[in-house]
Amino acid sequence: MTSADPSDLIAVAGRYADPAGWPVPLRFARAERWYARLTVGPDHEVWALSWLPGQGTDLHDHGGSAGAFLVVAGTVTEETVSGGRLRPHRLVAGSGRRFGARHVHVVSNRGDQPAVSVHVYRPALRRMTRYRLAAGQLLIADVAEAGVAW
């Protein structure tokens, strides 16, 4: 797929890369990671997330939704499970990541500057499963249904 392909989720994220065009103002919150849904369509939804240094997610999936995210400012680290352990991948502003419906990862800001990313899910998120990694095994920690804070 090329970035001009309307079905390419990175291309969809790119259309929301400028916070000046968002329906909500970009925020950074010290107490917890800030996020807001920017739009929802019949086959996907788009979220904005801000990351202060040290903020991140738990190990999670996207409940059967495929997706992509694009870093629009700063740097984030995505960790995926491989060989029974988490393997980090650093993503700088302008870079992104596509993933399938069974993808499990952690995303965090390990740097010293704030970061912003745009995430697209197809179909829209209905649930997320949180995991823990114990002795090289991926174990379910809990499941959050739609309407519960991600």
Side-chain angles (χ1 to χ4, degrees):
M1 286 183 197
T2 66
S3 62
D5 182 342
S7 68
D8 181 0
L9 299 182
I10 289 280
V12 174
R15 292 197 298 265
Y16 293 89
D18 182 1
W22 293 353
V24 296
L26 171 61
R27 289 188 19 224
F28 291 92
R30 290 217 180 275
E32 62 184 358
R33 186 174 42 88
W34 175 86
Y35 52 92
R37 188 162 68 179
L38 301 178
T39 190
V40 62
D43 71 336
H44 71 277
E45 67 182 344
V46 180
W47 290 80
L49 287 82
S50 70
W51 313 83
L52 287 173
Q55 291 180 333
T57 68
D58 294 326
L59 186 60
H60 68 281
D61 69 16
H62 302 96
S65 294
F69 66 94
L70 177 67
V71 180
V72 299
T75 302
V76 299
T77 298
E78 178 192 36
E79 295 177 87
T80 56
V81 179
S82 177
R85 55 177 241 183
L86 290 172
R87 309 242 182 216
H89 308 278
R90 192 169 170 261
L91 297 145
V92 299
S95 62
R97 173 89 155 99
R98 295 171 185 87
F99 53 85
R102 300 181 70 172
H103 190 67
V104 175
H105 66 175
V106 173
V107 180
S108 61
N109 181 349
R110 293 183 174 183
D112 60 1
Q113 298 297 312
V116 178
S117 56
V118 174
H119 300 241
V120 182
Y121 304 103
R122 179 179 289 146
L125 294 177
R126 298 289 174 246
R127 67 185 164 105
M128 291 176 80
T129 301
R130 289 183 179 88
Y131 297 88
R132 61 186 175 87
L133 198 55
Q137 299 294 315
L138 196 57
L139 305 173
I140 293 175
D142 68 78
V143 178
E145 299 294 328
V148 176
W150 304 117

